[in-house]
Amino acid sequence: MNTPQRSLAATLFPIVLLLIAMASIQSGASLAKSMFPVVGAQGTTTLRLVFASIIMVLLLRPWRARLDASTLRSVIIYGMALGGMNFLFYMSLRSVPLGIAVALEFTGPLTVALLASRRALDFVWITLAVIGLLLLIPVGQTGANIDPLGAGYALGAGVCWALYILYGQRAGAENGIQTAALGVVIAALFVAPIGIVHAGSTLLTPSLLPVALGVAILSTALPYSLEMVALTRMPARTFGTLMSIEPAFGALSGLLFLGEQLTLWQWLAILAIISASVGATLSMKREGTPPVAAD
């Protein structure tokens, strides 16, 4: 292979990994939704996080992390935000199509990106994001078929995602990827009581456990690993820009696996939010390392 071919392959490799990671996350969400009739969104979140924490602990050995009081506080908030994000996102999926839930949740990292810069251009991205939200939030004719409570859960997940970013960056500064494993364990401990109260012994249904393991792998273990590899091979700004198309992956996954049809207005709303996220990412002045997605 000559140099230009090697260069092209080196450029495309992390992009392909990131696209696979996004497809994996949204496929995992589609699979998770199939568990709702048995254990509910609460039980599904619990099983996913418990299995994911076991996988992450075995792979990353977080007991090696060195934590002082300040870092431990950040890790605990990070883990609780991660648990809240997963829980609220799955609660939204009970009544909101996957693509719309992802788009509404994506307002969390979008807000963080916009707050990082206060240039006049950012008002363009804010306007696009607001247009997208107005088209999705159940007010008026275009959003009439979106459940208000489900939309509220998705926006709440976005708030948790913003906290996940802010505190994940602080906690990860000293312990890197091991912070992710600690965060997932804390998230599991935070959400598990809710799932146990809701679903009880049904959580231990033998036929359900392989599905739960599949959700944990597709939604956490596999995409985390692929995204970390991609992060080491591309600029942070490129990573953030590509991650901005995740709502589209959610909409396509919902269409392919769940048969969720979206209206033209809803597709335009998702496009507006994606455009706002891409624009905000490209407008950022500094190349901070974006955290991986954790839906």
Side-chain angles (χ1 to χ4, degrees), residues 138-162:
V139 290
Q141 199 171 20
T142 58
N145 59 339
I146 301 299
D147 173 50
L149 181 60
Y153 280 133
L155 291 172
V159 173
C160 289
W161 196 349

Side-chain angles (χ1 to χ4, degrees), residues 40-295:
Q42 302 91 327
T44 301
T45 311
T46 297
L47 288 174
R48 171 195 165 173
L49 288 174
V50 168
F51 276 108
S53 64
I54 294 172
I55 295 170
M56 299 290 280
V57 165
L58 292 175
L59 290 177
L60 301 177
R61 295 173 288 183
W63 56 84
R64 293 185 173 186
R66 291 176 292 182
L67 303 174
D68 56 27
S70 176
T71 306
L72 179 60
R73 175 177 173 273
S74 294
V75 169
I76 291 174
I77 297 176
Y78 163 75
M80 292 177 67
L82 175 60
M85 177 175 63
N86 281 267
F87 173 71
L88 292 173
F89 180 71
Y90 279 3
M91 291 293 284
S92 75
L93 290 185
R94 297 182 305 172
S95 57
V96 173
L98 178 58
I100 293 177
V102 175
L104 290 172
E105 183 195 30
F106 217 78
T107 56
L110 174 57
T111 300
V112 172
L114 290 172
L115 291 177
S117 176
R118 293 176 175 82
R119 292 181 294 175
L121 181 61
D122 291 327
F123 286 101
V124 176
W125 317 132
I126 292 172
T127 300
L128 273 174
V130 169
I131 290 173
L133 286 175
L134 289 177
L135 291 174
L136 287 180
I137 293 176
V139 290
Q141 199 171 20
T142 58
N145 59 339
I146 301 299
D147 173 50
L149 181 60
Y153 280 133
L155 291 172
V159 173
C160 289
W161 196 349
L163 294 172
Y164 161 85
I165 292 171
L166 296 174
Y167 284 92
Q169 287 176 336
R170 297 179 191 177
E174 294 183 8
N175 294 291
I177 185 60
Q178 289 178 331
T179 301
L182 290 170
V184 174
V185 171
I186 293 170
L189 293 173
F190 177 59
V191 173
I194 302 173
I196 292 171
V197 169
H198 176 79
S201 60
T202 310
L203 292 170
L204 301 178
T205 303
S207 60
L208 200 62
L209 298 182
V211 182
L213 179 60
V215 170
I217 293 172
L218 286 172
S219 296
T220 304
L222 178 60
Y224 261 57
S225 303
L226 294 178
E227 287 170 351
M228 283 301 169
V229 173
L231 262 175
T232 64
R233 289 169 168 79
M234 67 169 61
R237 181 171 296 181
T238 304
F239 180 94
T241 302
L242 288 171
M243 287 299 298
S244 298
I245 67 174
E246 189 159 5
F249 270 86
L252 290 173
S253 182
L255 176 64
L256 293 175
F257 299 116
L258 301 173
E260 295 175 341
Q261 301 282 344
L262 301 184
T263 67
L264 175 61
W265 287 110
Q266 290 166 346
W267 278 107
L268 289 175
I270 291 173
L271 178 61
I273 292 174
I274 290 173
S275 300
S277 183
V278 170
T281 303
L282 294 176
S283 299
M284 291 175 66
K285 292 182 179 180
R286 291 187 294 177
E287 292 269 324
T289 301
V292 297
D295 274 340

